[in-house]
Amino acid sequence: MAITAPEQPGTLPEDARGVLAAARAETAAADRAEARKLQLAVQWAVIHPAESVEDAETYTFRSGLEGVIPIAGPGAPLVAEFSVAEYAAALGLSTEAGKHYLGQAVELRYRLPRLWRRVMAGDLAAWKARRVADATIGADLTEAAAAFVDTHVAPVAHRIRPTALDRLVEEAIGRFMPDTAEQRRHDGLDRRHFTIDRDHVSFDGTAYVTGELDLADAIDLDDAVRHLAGQLADLGSEATLDQRRALAVGELARRQLTLDLTPPEAGGSRSEVEVRAQRATKPPAHTRTPVRKTVLYLHLTDHALTSTGDGIGRCETTRAPITATQIRDWCGHPDTHLVVQPVIDLNDHVHVDQYEIPHRITEHVTLRDLTCVFPHCTRPARRLHPETHGCDHDHIRPYADHPETCSHGIAPLCRRHHRHKTHGHWHYETPEPGTYLWTSPHRYHYLRDHTGTTAIDPADDNPPEPDPPTRH
């Protein structure tokens, strides 16, 4: 395929030297802009200090009122909690990402002053300094430890590698935080883990598994997997060795062939060697007990369900598309307990004459919006894992003013952004179901719908005046 000329000739350099010079100039301009953004982030924190929050000393999370939060390491100033969301929205970031960016800026300004001066002088790219700030915040370094890192990193920050930075942070902890260093040493004695990544499921319905095991356990697992993979081949499986090993792990999980839960005999406990010896000699059980406990929320259209082709469905648990064939395989497995829910028409308008929101409305709203509807938030509306919570279901208009509960007047908001709406001077309305027009405390506007978040105010130098603060 031939490379074509630019659509607008004359706007770009035509020779190699000119392209390189222009690229260098644009990079320098981008670095200056990023340094300016860090300055503005610090200024935003200065404008919203802890002292700006009324009754901060009596704040509790249960009250829902605004509090003050740390965004950088010890010794850095605290900021007003609700101020973070508006700055994040202005940058097109989620609230958590905006808090992270503000924290990096404040960390550099107040705890890593040598790095800050290099960035402000145009001598160091902002992203390289932010990487160091990430390391010092993540390690929760004391002021003395952070100063040590700043002193040693600042002269070489433009070329230091992540591994060298990590070693320097570890040295700072050892020098200035001996109790923390000892605790980390004890915590690091056992790095064993077995992790199944359920958040990044492939289109084909597979997931990554990683682990670090005791050598004896790893050998036992490898022997069991190899044995079952061989059995699958003997039974006529045409899958490759790697595929049969993957299938064997699933069979091990369902059959629990090597699990020994025999209690110790009276009068003493068995050693680990004895337990392993009994496990090695005990014949495998042949009973098959359904053990699958994973809950998957799967969605299929009638066409994908009935077609002979490979239609596309959606796995709500992982928020990823999945083939109809894979869904059929999962549902057809003998260990699967299948629950079929009635189809919900998202165009229906469901009303009830009560404040409490019934399940048929919350389910309707969850399927329509999928996530919290605050600008840039992606927290799932449904509680998908036992260790997480789902979104609150909020009356868009106060029930006291409009005593009606209906599917068009309810929206999912995660707990954090529900508090911002209730106590943080954010307001929203719904032009149509599933579309939300948000107004920030400084009267910027954001449109949130199924495509994402769009800032609808022009980017100019005359922002609207904020509404006067009020307390509800």
Side-chain angles (χ1 to χ4, degrees), residues 316-368:
E316 185 180 339
T317 310
T318 61
R319 292 186 283 178
I322 204 77
T323 65
T325 301
Q326 181 63 65
I327 293 178
R328 292 189 193 100
D329 289 345
W330 283 338
C331 294
H333 197 280
D335 290 334
T336 298
H337 175 64
L338 183 64
V339 177
V340 179
Q341 297 285 5
V343 175
I344 297 177
D345 186 351
L346 298 184
N347 294 317
D348 281 350
H349 191 183
V350 185
H351 295 258
V352 293
D353 294 325
Q354 63 186 42
Y355 175 77
E356 292 77 13
I357 307 171
H359 174 73
R360 66 180 183 274
I361 291 183
T362 60
E363 184 69 8
H364 182 116
V365 170
T366 296
L367 293 174
R368 180 190 67 206

Side-chain angles (χ1 to χ4, degrees), residues 355 357 365 368-369 373 393-402 404-413 418 421-422 426-438:
Y355 175 77
I357 307 171
V365 170
R368 180 190 67 206
D369 295 319
V373 299
H393 288 86
D394 178 55
H395 287 81
I396 298 172
R397 298 187 297 180
Y399 184 82
D401 300 333
H402 302 84
E404 177 186 56
T405 298
C406 68
S407 55
H408 290 183
I410 301 296
L413 291 176
H418 195 174
K421 178 256 182 178
T422 304
W426 283 82
H427 308 284
Y428 72 136
E429 56 189 53
T430 176
E432 60 182 27
T435 300
Y436 305 92
L437 180 62
W438 283 89

Side-chain angles (χ1 to χ4, degrees), residues 221-286:
L221 178 61
D222 184 51
D223 290 343
V225 169
R226 186 189 306 111
H227 176 69
L228 274 180
Q231 286 184 332
L232 291 174
D234 295 339
L235 292 173
S237 173
E238 297 181 356
T240 67
L241 176 60
D242 285 340
Q243 292 168 347
R244 283 186 280 111
R245 286 177 63 87
L247 292 170
V249 172
E251 290 301 313
L252 278 175
R254 285 183 286 276
R255 298 182 185 179
Q256 299 182 346
L257 295 178
T258 61
L259 186 60
D260 180 16
L261 297 180
T262 305
E265 298 177 359
S269 61
R270 297 179 300 166
S271 68
E272 185 172 355
V273 174
E274 293 171 330
V275 171
R276 291 182 185 277
Q278 178 173 343
R279 181 188 304 165
T281 58
K282 183 177 181 179
H286 295 288

Side-chain angles (χ1 to χ4, degrees), residues 191-199 207-213:
R191 296 188 303 274
R192 290 176 293 184
H193 72 97
F194 191 78
T195 304
I196 300 175
D197 189 351
R198 297 165 58 175
D199 295 327
Y208 280 101
V209 179
T210 59
E212 184 171 351
L213 308 179

